[in-house]
Amino acid sequence: MPETKPVLMQGNVACAEGAINAGVRFYAGYPITPSTEVAERMAARLPDLGGVFIQMEDEIASMAAVIGASIGGMRTLTATSGPGFSLKQENLGYAIMAEIPCVVVNVQRMGPSTGAPTAPAQGDVMQARWGTHGDHPIIAFSPASVYEAYYLTVAAVNLSQKIRQPIVMLLDEVIGHMREKVLIPETGRLMVEKSSDKVPADWKPYDDKGVTPLVPFGFGHYYHVTGLFHDQYGFPTTDPPQVARSLDRIHEKLDKYRDEIVLTNYIGHKEPRVAIVTYGCTVRSARAVVKKAYWQNRKEVGLLSLQTIWPFPEQEIKALAKQADVILVPEMNMGQIVGEIERHVRGEAEVVPVNRYDGEMITPDEISEAVGRWLS
Amino acid sequence: MAIIEQLTQDFLRTKKLPHIWCPGCGNGIVTAALVRAIERAEYDQRDVVIVSGIGCSSRAAGYLNFNTLHTTHGRALAFATGLKMARPELKLFVIMGDGDCSAIGGNHFIHAARRNIDLTAIVVNNHIYGMTGGQHSPLTPEGKKATTAPGGTVEREFDLINLARGAGASFGAKGTAAQPRQLEQLITRGSQHKGFSLIEALSPCPIAYGRRNKLGGPVDMLRDMKEKSISVERASKLGEEELAGKTITGVIFDLEAPEYSEEYYRSISKEK
Ligand code: SF4
């Protein structure tokens, strides 16, 4: 990848710029702290690119407008924070069911409710998984740096388009508001495949055989889009085998493209006794710990950071549990991903939560202390 | 007759019929008026998009042979706004029910009107939530009974046309299922108007509304609708007293106002 310009950029802005580089030309949103800079950057940039920026009347409408524009063939993005993410859930479920691509950025603030709008937290992990009703698949990426915010957004936009699945970018306030260096290629370099109206004659919008490209409205393919269970052409059905098939197909595509979806990164000792698993800004504190413990002192410590938190990287966790005696799980919440880890570790290793929920980041010292306790 | 059959072939998904509506429901009449209106305006089938919300009337989208988008409850106009901005050349018809549009979708309704975005909103007003079995909506006339207002609702109803006008819409018309030719003409005119066009179509729901309010069968309800309706032209010559209890039908307002998608694209081409 030709990385050309080094720039100092804020995490929220990196989401906006990454999206633009991956071809997003439509943004609908509603102001909310701490995500507003995404909207502001889009409002400044999209008009010059011939794109659409629209500030909608509310969060629900923003999500709806994004889906509408995607059906029109545009690449789309919206951004919000906790309360707004709650409001977006119904239409997010619609996009999953109707298989309409779009990317939803949630810059987490501390909740529940209005909570602490400017305090960092990672309390929306389970909401990202189960916020909308019904048995749905979800993809959520969680960047740990501004660089990752940029490139995971690029990946989200392209992947969302490819498999026709909405993708959540789960940032936290620290990553959203932090400024860091990013190397970015020229605008437009990172877009994979444009949507096209040229499709085979037997094209079906919801083909039983697997994902087909979305053919935008207005090109003479008169299919139906609905949130109801539907057949291969999108028409409502209550026929039990078709209903089950409809649900299976939206889950199967995540299995099929798992290698492109599930992104993790491991650093540290090859055979760690103590492994740290975390995501988002907490990765930064954990990395500092591993640097000191492993790189300087050759301790048997490692860090698995999860860029993808949903679908859950269960294979990676299972493999880690075979080596490590202890898995430490620092999170800025009361313990959310830790339950998922326990579920997959199945007692093969000790799973220990390290939580903080006072609106402050978990420090390297806090993690280091826990590591020390288990190493000795 | 031949033309109608041709229309049925082209614009209706005949394989999806029979429809789910109850016998005597007005939804079929309104849908037929919409199909004829599209034909009358001679739009290219490829350019027409039907967007709908949730409710009995919104199921019409599934029976119409265009690109059709059946959305979530109350949100049809918000989906339509995104689609129209992405593809301003498309002709959007947005079908909503009275509860769908004016209760849960009320915010989107006033803001779509305020933006004066170019689309035709057809609100099928049967004064009730039909699909869920007859609960009162913001368009249930005061005093009428519903499952959630067994003694008659004490809520006041919206004047949807004036609400749209006050919010900034540039075209508002009212028709009834009892006068399908007029309704068809109103939909055509609304669709040819540039800006947010509201067509409120009164439609009988004999099952969830008529029965409980002892309004007779479908024929009685249609007859009553017809008798009570009076054209804008005739109404303009009558005083307030004479108009009491009447439904004024026809084009209620037709104004010129800046249209959102056009203004937006003009503004960004200037910026370039
Ligand atoms: S419940 Fe009323 S509106 Fe719904 S299909 Fe039956 S008659 Fe029509």
Side-chain angles (χ1 to χ4, degrees):
Chain A
M1 192 177 299
E3 290 172 334
T4 50
K5 284 189 296 187
V7 286
L8 187 67
M9 198 180 265
Q10 190 205 49
N12 282 343
V13 170
C15 277
E17 290 293 338
I20 287 170
N21 213 332
V24 166
R25 292 294 179 272
F26 185 98
Y27 181 95
Y30 187 83
I32 185 166
T33 305
S35 76
T36 309
E37 295 85 0
V38 184
E40 288 173 341
R41 175 55 64 113
M42 286 306 213
R45 290 272 275 131
L46 286 177
D48 286 345
L49 297 166
V52 178
F53 172 88
I54 180 168
Q55 186 173 313
M56 292 300 286
E57 53 272 19
D58 58 34
E59 297 276 5
I60 299 170
S62 309
M63 192 64 221
V66 152
I67 298 169
S70 288
I71 292 168
M74 277 185 139
R75 293 186 168 210
T76 62
L77 185 90
T78 183
T80 187
S81 184
F85 194 49
S86 295
L87 288 167
K88 283 180 174 357
Q89 294 299 331
E90 187 196 6
N91 284 335
L92 177 60
Y94 180 93
I96 293 166
M97 184 70 153
E99 299 183 63
I100 309 299
C102 55
V103 176
V104 181
V105 179
N106 173 13
V107 187
Q108 296 167 93
R109 50 147 100 180
M110 209 181 165
S113 189
T114 314
T118 54
Q122 298 171 325
D124 302 352
V125 170
M126 281 297 165
Q127 184 193 23
R129 179 62 195 90
W130 292 115
T132 195
H133 60 280
D135 240 333
H136 60 278
I138 196 81
I139 298 174
F141 290 155
S142 176
S145 65
V146 174
Y147 178 90
E148 282 187 8
Y150 187 95
Y151 285 98
L152 286 175
T153 307
V154 169
V157 172
N158 285 318
L159 184 63
S160 168
Q161 207 70 27
K162 179 172 174 179
I163 68 169
R164 292 178 52 184
Q165 161 79 19
I167 298 185
V168 176
M169 286 294 299
L170 202 59
L171 271 69
D172 45 58
E173 191 273 341
V174 176
I175 303 300
H177 279 162
M178 183 171 67
R179 284 184 165 76
E180 256 182 339
K181 188 178 82 173
V182 190
L183 295 163
I184 58 167
E186 289 158 45
T187 292
R189 296 288 298 258
L190 300 179
M191 176 169 166
V192 180
E193 280 176 38
K194 265 188 122 170
S195 70
S196 157
D197 57 309
K198 284 171 201 67
V199 288
D202 61 349
W203 176 83
K204 295 175 193 138
Y206 304 98
D207 200 318
D208 272 347
K209 288 191 224 97
V211 188
T212 52
L214 179 82
V215 178
F217 276 13
F219 294 105
H221 297 273
Y222 304 130
Y223 62 100
H224 188 55
V225 178
T226 179
L228 293 164
F229 281 108
H230 44 266
D231 63 17
Q232 296 188 79
Y233 298 93
F235 294 107
T237 178
T238 51
D239 175 41
Q242 286 213 49
V243 167
R245 180 73 209 107
S246 202
L247 202 48
D248 280 340
R249 76 167 264 123
I250 56 175
H251 286 268
E252 279 165 7
K253 64 183 178 185
L254 268 67
D255 297 337
K256 184 168 172 206
Y257 293 96
R258 186 189 185 279
D259 291 349
E260 285 173 59
I261 298 169
V262 178
L263 310 168
T264 62
N265 185 25
Y266 182 81
I267 57 167
H269 198 281
K270 279 210 174 70
E271 285 164 3
R273 269 172 56 211
V274 178
I276 306 165
V277 178
T278 193
Y279 53 90
C281 72
T282 315
V283 167
R284 306 175 76 89
S285 300
R287 204 184 286 136
V289 173
V290 174
K291 263 188 194 166
K292 204 165 157 203
Y294 173 65
W295 286 334
Q296 288 173 18
N297 299 320
R298 303 332 261 175
K299 295 263 168 52
E300 293 153 301
V301 177
L303 164 66
L304 181 71
S305 55
L306 314 178
Q307 279 85 46
T308 303
I309 50 176
W310 305 117
F312 189 70
E314 51 177 88
Q315 294 171 15
E316 289 75 2
I317 293 294
K318 279 182 184 142
L320 190 66
K322 288 213 166 71
Q323 297 179 337
D325 301 334
V326 185
I327 295 178
L328 295 178
V329 190
E331 294 183 89
M332 285 156 63
N333 54 42
M334 298 180 87
Q336 295 199 12
I337 214 82
V338 69
E340 204 65 20
I341 293 174
E342 275 166 357
R343 202 156 79 84
H344 295 293
V345 166
R346 288 171 178 264
E348 285 225 36
E350 192 89 31
V351 178
V352 181
V354 180
N355 304 112
R356 184 156 187 178
Y357 44 89
D358 60 353
E360 294 288 333
M361 254 185 99
I362 296 182
T363 62
D365 283 351
E366 286 167 87
I367 300 172
S368 186
E369 199 195 327
V371 170
R373 232 180 293 138
W374 288 94
L375 271 182
S376 56
Chain B
M1 210 52 209
I3 291 173
I4 296 292
E5 271 162 29
Q6 186 54 42
L7 276 180
T8 311
Q9 299 248 322
D10 290 350
F11 292 166
L12 284 182
R13 289 160 169 161
T14 43
K15 279 193 210 131
K16 301 294 158 198
L17 300 171
H19 54 67
I20 63 159
W21 298 315
C22 311
C25 175
N27 288 339
I29 303 175
V30 179
T31 306
L34 168 61
V35 167
R36 289 194 306 270
I38 292 170
E39 168 74 2
R40 180 194 280 266
E42 296 181 349
Y43 297 126
D44 188 328
Q45 190 173 5
R46 275 190 305 187
D47 293 337
V48 173
V49 174
I50 312 289
V51 184
S52 69
I54 295 289
C56 296
S57 55
S58 285
R59 287 300 187 98
Y63 307 128
L64 297 171
N65 196 28
F66 302 97
N67 278 127
T68 49
L69 178 59
H70 178 227
T71 67
T72 48
H73 195 30
R75 319 301 174 198
L77 284 168
F79 279 77
T81 299
L83 178 56
K84 181 72 185 178
M85 290 307 287
R87 299 285 296 283
E89 75 278 14
L90 298 179
K91 267 275 155 211
L92 269 57
F93 293 84
V94 184
I95 305 171
M96 295 167 283
D98 46 300
D100 187 42
C101 164
S102 73
I104 189 166
N107 201 25
H108 313 306
F109 180 74
I110 57 174
H111 287 279
R114 174 179 63 85
R115 293 187 184 101
N116 195 32
I117 189 162
D118 185 32
L119 50 81
T120 308
I122 301 166
V123 179
V124 185
N125 178 6
N126 58 13
H127 309 296
I128 203 83
Y129 287 87
M131 192 162 263
T132 46
Q135 297 74 34
H136 70 88
S137 88
L139 295 182
T140 304
E142 205 178 325
K144 286 286 187 268
K145 291 190 172 118
T147 58
T148 46
T153 172
V154 293
E155 292 196 22
R156 297 168 69 202
E157 64 184 298
F158 265 140
D159 175 342
L160 204 62
I161 301 271
N162 270 323
L163 178 65
R165 175 162 33 194
S170 54
F171 184 95
K174 198 163 185 167
T176 79
Q179 292 130 302
R181 289 285 157 200
Q182 182 202 32
L183 184 59
E184 168 193 332
Q185 285 162 15
L186 294 174
I187 298 172
T188 302
R189 264 192 72 181
S191 74
Q192 287 164 339
H193 173 88
K194 187 189 291 258
F196 184 92
S197 308
L198 167 65
I199 317 291
E200 182 182 348
L202 296 186
S203 173
C205 166
I207 303 303
Y209 181 69
R211 204 186 271 167
R212 184 165 291 104
N213 285 292
K214 304 204 165 41
L215 302 177
V219 177
D220 304 304
M221 289 181 79
L222 283 169
R223 191 186 299 119
D224 187 56
M225 227 170 237
K226 196 167 187 177
E227 280 169 10
K228 282 197 180 126
S229 79
I230 177 168
S231 70
V232 185
E233 295 74 28
R234 276 185 51 215
S236 67
K237 300 191 185 85
L238 300 178
E240 218 170 278
E241 246 168 58
E242 291 157 301
L243 288 174
K246 295 278 186 204
T247 307
I248 301 173
T249 62
V251 177
I252 314 288
F253 65 92
D254 182 354
L255 314 162
E256 255 182 57
E259 189 277 322
Y260 179 63
S261 64
E262 202 175 75
E263 291 297 311
Y264 178 85
Y265 280 101
R266 187 181 299 142
S267 81
I268 68 166
S269 65
K270 248 188 285 169
E271 275 171 31
K272 263 189 186 158

